[in-house]
């Protein structure tokens, strides 16, 4: 049998000041509709063109939590957390700009802290993450505390 080898970074591999950037992805109407169906959030600003046109953004916007989910997916696609993450311990999100259908977004990850656990074998990595649209605007700013395995 072939043994799985993790691609993820271990706690010791993370350093304060490191930055990681993801590929881009365009937010589609299908993303918004599927997210509304998944969550039950059918707020008209997300699914009703006429109501949204009368609102502050003049067109439909994607759910803020959809942006967070996309950011999380982009982080995981980097592979740096694959097989070494134990849990996400904390997530704090600030919504800075609307996320529009048709926006193309990428995620920037900045390591801002790392602390070894007193229980051994693991540590927390503190990362500021930014969902950035094609105009260079920060859509969502997030702070993530991630519990990561240490090397054996």
């Amino acid at each position: 049998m072939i043994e799985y080898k993790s691609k993820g970074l271990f706690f010791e591999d993370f350093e304060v000041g490191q930055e990681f950037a993801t590929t881009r992805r365009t937010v589609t109407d299908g993303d918004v509709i599927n997210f509304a169906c998944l969550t039950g959030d059918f707020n008209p600003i997300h699914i009703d063109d006429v109501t949204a046109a009368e609102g502050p953004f003049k067109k439909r916007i994607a759910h803020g939590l959809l942006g967070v989910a996309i950011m999380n997916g982009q982080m995981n696609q980097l592979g740096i957390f694959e097989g070494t993450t134990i849990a996400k311990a904390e997530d704090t999100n600030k919504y800075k700009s609307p996320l529009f259908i048709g926006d193309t977004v990428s995620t920037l990850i900045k390591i801002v802290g790392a602390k070894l656990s007193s229980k051994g074998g693991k540590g927390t990595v503190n990362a500021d993450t930014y969902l950035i649209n094609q105009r260079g605007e920060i859509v969502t700013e997030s702070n993530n505390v991630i519990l990561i395995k240490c090397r054996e």
Side-chain angles (χ1 to χ4, degrees), residues 26-30 32 46 49 59-62 99-103:
T26 301
V27 178
T28 67
D29 182 60
V32 173
H46 304 307
D49 287 331
K59 59 183 176 178
R60 289 171 44 215
I61 61 171
L99 178 60
F100 292 105
I101 297 163
D103 276 355

Side-chain angles (χ1 to χ4, degrees), residues 11-27:
F11 173 79
E12 297 87 349
D13 300 321
F14 288 96
E15 297 176 14
V16 173
Q18 278 177 314
E19 292 187 1
F20 302 92
T22 71
T23 59
R24 293 183 300 266
R25 174 209 199 288
T26 301
V27 178

Side-chain angles (χ1 to χ4, degrees), residues 38-50:
L38 177 68
T39 62
D41 181 351
F42 294 99
N43 187 309
I45 63 171
H46 304 307
I47 62 162
D48 180 340
D49 287 331
V50 175

Side-chain angles (χ1 to χ4, degrees), residues 68-134:
V68 171
I70 289 170
M71 189 166 36
N72 190 69
Q74 288 179 326
M75 289 172 65
N76 282 298
Q77 288 171 9
L78 286 174
I80 61 175
F81 300 105
E82 183 184 315
T84 55
T85 297
I86 297 168
K88 191 179 258 192
E90 189 175 322
D91 210 15
T92 306
N93 304 304
K94 295 180 184 175
Y95 304 99
K96 310 294 264 178
S97 301
L99 178 60
F100 292 105
I101 297 163
D103 276 355
T104 298
V105 294
S106 61
T107 298
L108 174 65
I109 304 157
K110 294 182 179 183
I111 305 303
V112 296
K115 183 180 178 188
L116 192 60
S117 171
S118 60
K119 296 178 182 174
K122 60 188 170 280
T124 55
V125 172
N126 191 321
D128 285 342
T129 58
Y130 305 89
L131 187 67
I132 302 168
N133 66 21
Q134 71 278 7

